[in-house]
Amino acid sequence: MTNKLDIKNMKVSPKELLINNLVPILFIIICCVGIPLSGYSGSYLLNEILSRLGRNAFLVLSLLIPVMAGMGLNFGMTLGAMAGQIGLIFVSDWSVVGIPGMVLAAIISTPISVLLGYLCGSILNRAKGREMVTSYIIGFFMNGVYQLFVLYLMGLVIPISSPELILPRGYGIRNTVNLESMRKSLDNLIPFNIFGASVPVATFILVVLFCLFIIWFRRTKLGQDMRAVGQDMEVARQAGIKVERTRVLSIILSTVFAGYGMIIYLQNIGTLNTYNSHSQIGMFSIAALLVGGASVDKANIRNVFIGIILFHLMFTIAPTVGRNLIGEAQLGEYFRVFVSYGVITLALVLYEMRKRRAERIALEKGEEVVA
Amino acid sequence: MKLGRKFFIRIAAVLIIIIIGVVMFFIGKEHTILIDNFSQGDYKALDYFEVSVDGSPILDMSRMMREQFTVTGQKHTVLIQWEDEASGQMLAVTFKITVPLMQDMVLLSVPTFMADMNQPQSVWLTPFEPQVVVSSSAEDNAVVTDDTASFSSF
């Protein structure tokens, strides 16, 4: 009989602790060095962080459920973002504005997200152990389908009447959709200021409700099943849990919430870049989560908030630091993009290192690894 | 096949969501009301009046002027104030209008309304279709599908 070695609860040395939290520590250093160099005032940074926290929290929180189910970081959240955007295109065409417009866009996006999430989850069930790269490629594939719908079918087959949305040739949606009539309608629903910074209270209430939902969800039967599946699929299957169904449900939930998150995100921005807004959302949301100290197999609400604050603090200061140091703001732009990709790479490498180390220790001790 | 309680609960939930969607459409639909002070046939334009829609800030209007109000929902209250030439007193009239649901823009002809306030709404509130200039140059039809184009907006 083999003993199980739980790598999550292993005692770690200070050096290992440092390596395990390398990403957040690196970001804290970058921010500590960058803030004085940027020359931004405290109230400006506070305003930016509060705004970006409200804008991105829902999107990043939507990543937690698949991690719980052991499916890693859901790059397929892009699918939900596309569904949210389709909802927004329709409400813009129908001239439904403000909060009712957001609610209607969310209602339209839900069945699309469910369908896309089901497709994605079903494919991921056929690619067990390679979920992240598969979901990443599904995102690219679906982007093509999205472009087919938005660029060719909308206006030709799908009725879109607004000349402000349709390309002059008579079909296809323009590059940008103006969401001015919806801009900050949720953020400014309950006006509140602190130290000269505007606080998006209503958005934060939604985010808190979502956090409470996640906490509650973890305790439900389905949540427990997801955790069991995340721990060990074979054991979960033997315990009578429908593993494939549970995994698909986790992706569907994540996709649906990503769609809502995208709507919240775009109401804050006020402009929808039809062909680009969704394309990097998965990358940046995952980077933010990893910056908060999450890993491929472990993520919680604390990681979400720490990650958004650190990642977006870097995002805010980077262009100005680049300009102040080298006289080139564009360098800061490149820096933050480079860091986004870099942080994901670093987190994946660290995760793999930890896993291999645990496997090596387990092999030496003749124990079975529980990731 | 026996349909369980769960099935009916799901159907009810879907119906409730659809109803919420329809309600959102009705209350969130944006309309533009053009307040027009141009002469319409026998009805001469007013020299001067003030107008407000749904309690918005009052706008001054003189001859040959047209102002626009952006509103949401179908039912709105319009306030018109003008000076009576005989008595020199300010008079005011408040009335309700219902904008057709699918009509984005309507034109309210104040001279027509003021000539006879008892006329049906369809006489002084008419659908308005703005002229759209359509350009079809290759540049206007171009779309940007560059994956990195949204970096700076993030």
Side-chain angles (χ1 to χ4, degrees):
Chain A
M1 199 181 107
T2 57
N3 295 320
K4 289 196 172 185
L5 180 70
D6 191 345
I7 59 168
K8 282 179 189 171
N9 298 323
M10 276 170 62
K11 281 186 180 174
V12 286
S13 66
K15 188 187 161 192
E16 284 166 20
L17 197 74
L18 183 80
I19 293 171
N20 289 348
N21 294 293
L22 190 63
V23 180
I25 291 168
L26 211 64
F27 264 74
I28 290 170
I29 295 168
I30 291 172
C31 292
C32 287
V33 174
I35 290 170
L37 287 171
S38 71
Y40 284 133
S41 67
S43 65
Y44 173 81
L45 287 176
L46 183 67
N47 195 42
E48 276 295 309
I49 291 303
L50 287 174
S51 170
R52 284 165 181 266
L53 200 57
R55 188 195 298 169
N56 293 284
F58 213 94
L59 277 166
V60 184
L61 281 167
S62 75
L63 290 165
L64 295 185
I65 295 170
V67 174
M68 200 196 301
M71 299 187 77
L73 302 161
N74 180 23
F75 283 90
M77 70 178 288
T78 317
L79 275 56
M82 289 177 204
Q85 288 183 186
I86 289 172
L88 285 171
I89 290 171
F90 278 116
V91 297
S92 296
D93 181 46
W94 300 334
S95 302
V96 184
V97 299
I99 299 289
M102 284 182 68
V103 175
L104 190 54
I107 290 172
I108 295 166
S109 81
T110 306
I112 304 170
S113 294
V114 170
L115 179 69
L116 293 175
Y118 177 78
L119 284 173
C120 184
S122 302
I123 295 168
L124 295 184
N125 272 342
R126 287 167 175 77
K128 288 192 188 90
R130 297 279 180 275
E131 285 92 350
M132 283 198 294
V133 70
T134 311
S135 63
Y136 192 56
I137 299 301
I138 291 172
F140 281 117
F141 163 65
M142 275 302 166
N143 191 30
V145 179
Y146 170 83
Q147 284 185 17
L148 174 75
F149 267 82
V150 177
L151 197 51
Y152 295 102
L153 299 185
M154 282 193 170
L156 270 183
V157 180
I158 303 162
I160 299 284
S161 57
S162 171
E164 289 172 10
L165 289 178
I166 288 285
L167 287 164
R169 69 183 182 202
Y171 61 92
I173 303 295
R174 288 176 190 267
N175 273 317
T176 53
V177 174
N178 187 359
L179 300 175
E180 196 55 45
S181 54
M182 201 179 281
R183 187 163 189 255
K184 297 203 170 184
S185 50
L186 181 65
D187 294 347
N188 295 339
L189 189 65
I190 305 169
F192 181 70
N193 283 290
I194 184 165
F195 303 119
S198 170
V199 184
V201 179
T203 313
F204 282 156
I205 290 172
L206 265 186
V207 169
V208 168
L209 286 175
F210 191 20
C211 292
L212 292 174
F213 170 80
I214 290 169
I215 293 165
W216 167 79
F217 182 74
R218 286 169 68 93
R219 293 171 186 164
T220 61
K221 166 81 172 64
L222 184 59
Q224 297 283 1
D225 287 356
M226 280 185 192
R227 288 164 73 180
V229 170
Q231 289 277 324
D232 193 317
M233 271 192 276
E234 282 315 308
V235 173
R237 202 188 307 278
Q238 281 161 17
I241 296 169
K242 291 175 182 169
V243 173
E244 274 71 25
R245 181 178 171 273
T246 308
R247 283 162 56 93
V248 170
L249 281 174
S250 78
I251 293 294
I252 290 176
L253 282 172
S254 175
T255 313
V256 169
F257 287 124
Y260 299 159
M262 193 64 184
I263 293 166
I264 293 170
Y265 172 85
L266 289 171
Q267 67 84 35
N268 177 277
I269 300 275
T271 308
L272 160 62
N273 286 318
T274 314
Y275 303 98
N276 302 307
S277 282
H278 59 280
S279 59
Q280 297 299 328
I281 211 81
M283 180 67 69
F284 287 113
S285 299
I286 286 166
L289 187 62
L290 292 173
V291 167
S295 70
V296 174
D297 62 344
K298 202 179 80 180
N300 55 38
I301 293 168
R302 192 182 63 234
N303 299 139
V304 171
F305 290 99
I306 294 172
I308 296 173
I309 290 169
L310 288 176
F311 188 65
H312 284 277
L313 199 55
M314 185 276 291
F315 248 67
T316 308
I317 60 175
T320 318
V321 171
R323 193 181 61 225
N324 291 350
L325 280 179
I326 302 144
E328 194 67 55
Q330 197 62 32
L331 193 84
E333 294 274 352
Y334 289 131
F335 175 74
R336 61 189 198 175
V337 174
F338 147 77
V339 167
S340 307
Y341 285 107
V343 79
I344 293 175
T345 313
L346 185 62
L348 294 178
V349 169
L350 287 174
Y351 169 74
E352 203 59 34
M353 274 169 58
R354 268 211 313 272
K355 205 168 112 184
R356 285 189 184 186
R357 185 179 149 273
E359 279 171 358
R360 200 179 59 241
I361 294 170
L363 213 69
E364 283 165 7
K365 293 184 178 176
E367 290 169 326
E368 189 186 324
V369 179
V370 178
Chain B
M1 196 178 85
K2 196 184 168 189
L3 299 174
R5 191 166 153 254
K6 202 183 246 182
F7 173 80
F8 288 107
I9 291 172
R10 282 177 182 169
I11 292 290
V14 170
L15 281 175
I16 289 168
I17 290 168
I18 292 170
I19 291 166
I20 291 171
V22 172
V23 171
M24 291 298 125
F25 185 85
F26 274 83
I27 63 172
K29 172 85 177 164
E30 191 178 60
H31 304 275
T32 304
I33 301 172
L34 298 171
I35 305 289
D36 181 273
N37 191 23
F38 282 77
S39 297
Q40 298 280 330
D42 294 340
Y43 308 128
K44 297 288 175 219
L46 278 70
D47 288 334
Y48 172 80
F49 68 92
E50 294 168 350
V51 64
S52 163
V53 177
D54 293 338
S56 65
I58 290 174
L59 292 179
D60 300 335
M61 291 195 66
S62 50
R63 280 177 182 275
M64 311 283 279
M65 267 186 80
R66 186 179 280 174
E67 287 287 354
Q68 73 170 42
F69 291 86
T70 306
V71 292
T72 52
Q74 283 187 276
K75 293 189 185 302
H76 306 284
T77 308
V78 181
L79 165 74
I80 294 177
Q81 296 179 143
W82 72 100
E83 193 179 314
D84 184 45
E85 284 178 12
S87 63
Q89 277 187 325
M90 281 301 281
L91 301 175
V93 61
T94 304
F95 55 99
K96 292 195 183 300
I97 59 168
T98 305
V99 182
L101 182 65
M102 298 312 289
Q103 190 64 44
D104 287 336
M105 204 174 258
V106 288
L107 187 138
L108 195 162
S109 170
V110 177
T112 312
F113 173 76
M114 296 298 276
D116 181 1
M117 293 182 194
N118 294 319
Q119 294 177 100
Q121 180 187 284
S122 58
V123 177
W124 42 266
L125 189 77
T126 50
F128 186 86
E129 296 297 336
Q131 283 190 331
V132 181
V133 181
V134 178
S135 156
S136 57
S137 67
E139 201 175 286
D140 289 328
N141 283 309
V143 292
V144 180
T145 55
D146 176 12
D147 281 348
T148 58
S150 62
F151 278 144
S152 55
S153 68
F154 197 80

